[in-house]
Amino acid sequence: MKEYSKSKLNRVKRGNKRATYDVEKINTILDAGFLGYVSYIYDGKALCLPMGYGRKDNKIYLHGSNANRMLLTLIEAKEMSMTVTHLDGLVLARSGLHHSVNYRSATLFGTVRKVENDTDKEAALVCFMEQMIENRWDEIRPINQKELDRTLVVEMTIETASAKIRDVGVEDEPEDYDLDIWAGIVPIRQIADYPISDKGISENMKIPEHVLEYYVINKS
């Protein structure tokens, strides 16, 4: 079992019994998502924005326009952090202060570089697309040079990380378990509805297999 080393930067202090530094478990959290929250400093102000991402091994890929303020700031800083969180349930207790949520959350810390080479940029964009929906890249038209030139791609190398996972029930005070108050968990999950074809699509055009497969896997 490979783990990220613990330091002041990534060590979980509060609720450390729920912490994990296991690389495989953290990658599983990352691979279950597509949106991460990226933090950075701009003009002396702390900002946090959601971004789609792709992961390959210990690399995270982000992309935007060449004028993207956040990506340019990250390149200048040469480092970044990102958090990915999945909400799995509402935990409803007998007292207000013991209400909680079940979740999986991973926070990454790493170094940043701008991807310059066209071949590497395209590979990063493929990674991004595959994170969104598998087997999509081969079904769409090839990216052209003009599009590639105006796209800024950033690569984050994960240097260290940590995760917290809560997957248990209500944890009330011992004396509250005899109260006549309902308590329990409301499970929460993200699902996919049946695909809707774009208005320009011919009525005879079938929905691609990779899209239907995504729907079937994620519909319930």
Side-chain angles (χ1 to χ4, degrees):
M1 183 177 69
K2 184 178 179 181
E3 289 192 343
Y4 288 108
S5 59
K6 303 177 186 67
S7 68
K8 290 183 179 179
L9 185 62
N10 73 323
R11 188 186 300 273
V12 176
K13 293 184 178 180
R14 184 171 178 82
N16 57 16
K17 67 179 182 180
R18 299 189 179 116
T20 180
Y21 304 88
D22 181 85
V23 173
E24 184 176 349
K25 289 183 179 179
I26 290 173
N27 285 343
T28 298
I29 293 173
L30 299 179
D31 293 345
F34 174 63
L35 289 177
Y37 294 88
V38 179
S39 300
Y40 68 106
I41 301 295
Y42 180 78
D43 198 22
K45 304 293 184 182
L47 301 174
C48 181
L49 294 176
M51 288 287 289
Y53 66 90
R55 182 191 76 85
K56 184 176 182 181
D57 301 326
N58 68 332
K59 309 292 186 182
I60 296 290
Y61 295 101
L62 310 174
H63 82 278
S65 73
N66 284 324
N68 186 289
R69 182 179 71 180
M70 184 192 75
L71 297 182
L72 292 173
T73 301
L74 295 177
I75 292 170
E76 183 179 359
K78 296 183 174 58
E79 60 181 4
M80 63 173 277
S81 67
M82 184 178 82
T83 296
V84 174
T85 299
H86 307 288
L87 177 62
D88 296 322
L90 305 180
V91 181
L92 309 182
R94 294 166 181 80
S95 66
L97 292 181
H98 285 298
H99 278 62
S100 187
V101 295
N102 279 345
Y103 62 90
R104 291 158 290 147
S105 182
T107 299
L108 319 175
F109 305 90
T111 55
V112 170
R113 75 174 184 94
K114 178 182 177 181
V115 179
E116 302 275 9
N117 180 276
D118 283 352
T119 301
D120 293 340
K121 285 177 70 173
E122 184 165 338
L125 294 173
V126 172
C127 176
F128 178 90
M129 184 68 69
E130 289 295 297
Q131 187 89 21
M132 181 180 186
I133 180 168
E134 291 184 0
N135 301 315
R136 181 64 180 166
W137 186 265
D138 291 337
E139 296 283 337
I140 58 178
R141 72 158 175 82
I143 190 170
N144 59 51
Q145 190 62 48
K146 183 177 179 180
E147 292 172 322
L148 201 59
D149 289 343
R150 67 189 185 199
T151 300
L152 179 60
V153 177
V154 165
E155 177 189 86
M156 173 195 188
T157 300
I158 304 172
E159 303 291 346
T160 190
S162 59
K164 286 182 71 176
I165 300 170
R166 190 190 195 281
D167 56 2
V168 296
V170 177
E171 296 182 340
D172 267 318
E173 298 295 333
E175 61 270 21
D176 288 343
Y177 280 92
D178 293 329
L179 296 175
D180 191 22
I181 298 173
W182 187 89
I185 298 174
V186 179
I188 295 197
R189 64 183 186 273
Q190 180 173 283
I191 64 171
D193 285 336
Y194 193 79
I196 301 171
S197 296
D198 186 62
K199 61 183 180 181
I201 298 297
S202 167
E203 293 182 359
N204 297 324
M205 183 179 292
K206 295 182 179 179
I207 298 172
E209 286 298 320
H210 71 278
V211 178
L212 290 175
E213 182 178 357
Y214 180 89
Y215 162 68
V216 170
I217 293 173
N218 295 282
K219 68 179 181 179
S220 61

